[in-house]
Amino acid sequence: MQSQQKPKNINTSKILFTILFTYLLLFNFNTVSAQKQYVVVIDAGHGGKDPGNLGNGFREKHIALKVALAVGKKLSKNKDVKVIFTRKKDVFIDLWKRGDIANHAKADLFVSIHCDSHTSNAYGAGTFVLGLRGNKKNLEIAKRENAVILLEDNFKERYEGFDPNSAESVIGLSLLQEENLDKSLTLASLIQNNFAFKLKRNNRKVKQDNFQVLRETIMPSVLVELGFLTNKKEGRYLNSKKGQNEMSSAISEAIYNYIKNLKLNTVIEEVTAELPSKQLKKPIEFKVQLASGKNKLATKSYNFKGLKNIQRIKVGSNYKYYYGNSSSLKETKKALQKAVAKGYKSAFIVAFKDGKKVSLKEVLKMR
């Protein structure tokens, strides 16, 4: 007969507290997440006195508007999504105003829809996020889309001397959107995968560039190039009801899939931020994640809106930037509030154990 080990004493009250505490957390945050309406701003590029490109006689401004309205109509069928359009008809909207609409609406996403052009017979769909990687072809696309600035009233004062035709001006744009890069790339990848694999469009992939309309926003943002109007076959497709329906479905499905994933992540991040510090055993450190992206920034206060003591950690090919480092969740919450007040609206609290990032599940186990 094998010897039996003496069972460990079980703290019944602790188990009951754990069950109740976990239930309240899940109930509270699932309810909040279920009730939240995600605001998506859909921007139809160009409009009014700005026709966009006119490849083969097609008008970019009309195609972009039809696809944008179709995307919004499909998304609006979901009760947890609120759609706002920068324009619903053929009118000219300043680039800064498009971003301003999204910012004032406190949007969760901004999607700008365009059609491309080229001197060759190029074709295919592409999706862009903010950033510049020195690609000459991408730079030309950015300059062409940004050139609409010249049509705006008082553009010199509004954009503080920014020259849309200058490579130096484009390269020198600020990194205002850096903290949203990860989320923008995720959304862009979902859209692009739908174009390439569901619709079998020529895959021009996800790229980074400094489009002014993306620079004006303070939330995850992407710019979609549906295809080339200068390619006769592709132009006819994009100008057709079939093409517009298929492209709008691909975009709307990707956006809603992103939102479903975002809802799950929101629950995890909010629960992490609300865990009582006294419930956790050391060594747990809390930090506020401010930004994430491929740009390696000096951890100086001028790069982070005046915030000091920034920590930079390389994760794969990306860099993550953290503010605050404390075993006290109460103090980290104060740091989060300060970061949000500085403009880092998407900042959130993360937990580390022995220098490594840990999940909510691991943190709960260490209470």
Side-chain angles (χ1 to χ4, degrees):
M1 180 182 289
Q2 294 180 342
S3 60
Q4 294 182 345
Q5 292 184 346
K6 185 178 180 180
K8 295 179 180 179
N9 292 328
I10 299 175
N11 189 329
T12 306
S13 61
K14 186 175 181 180
I15 290 177
L16 290 174
F17 175 81
T18 301
I19 293 172
L20 179 60
F21 179 70
T22 303
Y23 171 78
L24 288 172
L25 279 175
L26 293 175
F27 177 80
N28 181 45
F29 288 108
N30 280 327
T31 301
V32 170
S33 180
Q35 291 177 342
K36 174 178 169 62
Q37 262 201 324
Y38 288 80
V39 179
V40 181
V41 172
I42 307 295
D43 171 49
H46 309 280
K49 63 183 178 180
D50 171 27
N53 89 72
L54 302 171
N56 290 300
F58 303 116
R59 289 181 175 266
E60 179 182 2
K61 65 175 183 177
H62 293 328
I63 294 174
L65 180 59
K66 288 178 181 178
V67 173
L69 293 176
V71 170
K73 185 177 180 180
K74 294 175 194 295
L75 282 174
S76 296
K77 293 178 181 178
N78 303 292
K79 294 182 179 179
D80 51 351
V81 179
K82 178 182 179 181
V83 175
I84 295 174
F85 297 100
T86 56
R87 68 181 183 98
K88 291 183 178 181
K89 54 186 179 180
D90 185 18
V91 292
F92 178 77
I93 306 289
D94 293 335
L95 289 186
W96 69 265
K97 183 63 178 177
R98 296 167 190 262
D100 197 50
I101 290 169
N103 295 339
H104 274 84
K106 298 181 179 178
D108 295 284
L109 288 175
F110 177 85
V111 179
S112 188
I113 297 173
H114 295 254
C115 300
D116 217 336
S117 67
H118 202 268
T119 53
S120 73
N121 204 32
Y123 66 101
T127 312
F128 288 82
V129 299
L130 188 67
L132 187 66
R133 292 292 172 265
N135 184 301
K136 193 172 181 179
K137 289 183 180 178
N138 291 353
L139 179 61
E140 290 305 312
I141 295 172
K143 285 164 65 177
R144 184 168 62 249
E145 295 294 356
N146 289 339
V148 66
I149 290 171
L150 301 175
L151 297 176
E152 298 180 16
D153 295 330
N154 301 319
F155 78 90
K156 288 183 179 179
E157 291 79 8
R158 170 67 64 177
Y159 297 103
E160 299 177 350
F162 173 76
D163 180 0
N165 294 311
S166 163
E168 290 75 16
S169 288
V170 174
I171 293 169
L173 291 176
S174 71
L175 300 174
L176 182 63
Q177 275 281 339
E178 189 67 26
E179 65 263 33
N180 288 321
L181 182 59
D182 273 357
K183 292 177 180 178
S184 299
L185 285 169
T186 298
L187 174 60
S189 296
L190 290 170
I191 292 173
Q192 194 60 34
N193 284 341
N194 278 356
F195 288 159
F197 302 114
K198 282 194 173 184
L199 299 185
K200 308 299 181 184
R201 308 304 299 170
N202 182 41
N203 187 5
R204 297 187 67 85
K205 302 181 180 179
V206 174
K207 300 173 184 176
Q208 290 180 268
D209 227 318
N210 273 308
F211 291 104
Q212 183 67 32
V213 71
L214 298 183
R215 185 190 175 211
E216 293 294 323
T217 61
I218 57 173
M219 73 287 302
S221 306
V222 303
L223 184 145
V224 175
E225 294 284 4
L226 298 170
F228 290 77
L229 300 185
T230 44
N231 180 291
K232 286 185 179 180
K233 183 177 179 181
E234 192 155 74
R236 283 196 297 268
Y237 171 75
L238 295 176
N239 198 49
S240 69
K241 287 185 178 180
K242 177 187 177 184
Q244 291 164 10
N245 181 59
E246 289 181 349
M247 296 300 281
S248 62
S249 293
I251 297 169
S252 59
E253 286 173 12
I255 293 173
Y256 196 61
N257 282 336
Y258 172 90
I259 288 173
K260 286 190 288 187
N261 290 329
L262 187 65
K263 289 170 74 172
L264 294 174
N265 292 335
T266 299
V267 172
I268 291 172
E269 288 170 5
E270 287 178 336
V271 171
T272 302
E274 290 298 325
L275 288 173
S277 55
K278 65 181 181 181
Q279 301 289 335
L280 302 170
K281 296 179 181 179
K282 292 182 179 181
I284 292 291
E285 292 179 328
F286 296 101
K287 306 174 194 272
V288 176
Q289 182 170 321
L290 297 176
S292 176
K294 294 186 181 296
N295 289 319
K296 184 178 181 180
L297 302 178
T299 54
K300 302 293 185 181
S301 60
Y302 58 76
N303 276 333
F304 296 91
K305 304 177 184 179
L307 296 176
K308 298 179 180 180
N309 301 317
I310 303 297
Q311 182 182 16
R312 182 185 65 225
I313 298 177
K314 189 171 184 180
V315 181
S317 60
N318 282 0
Y319 294 94
K320 293 185 183 291
Y321 297 90
Y322 299 101
Y323 170 59
N325 184 4
S326 175
S327 59
S328 167
L329 187 58
K330 184 178 180 180
E331 291 302 313
T332 310
K333 285 181 181 179
K334 291 180 181 178
L336 175 62
Q337 291 172 351
K338 187 174 180 180
V340 170
K342 287 285 187 179
Y344 289 97
K345 305 298 183 183
S346 60
F348 56 93
I349 294 176
V350 292
F352 287 80
K353 180 177 183 285
D354 298 327
K356 294 183 179 180
K357 192 175 178 180
V358 293
S359 68
L360 172 62
K361 185 175 181 181
E362 291 179 80
V363 172
L364 285 171
K365 285 180 179 177
M366 292 181 278
R367 287 191 302 108

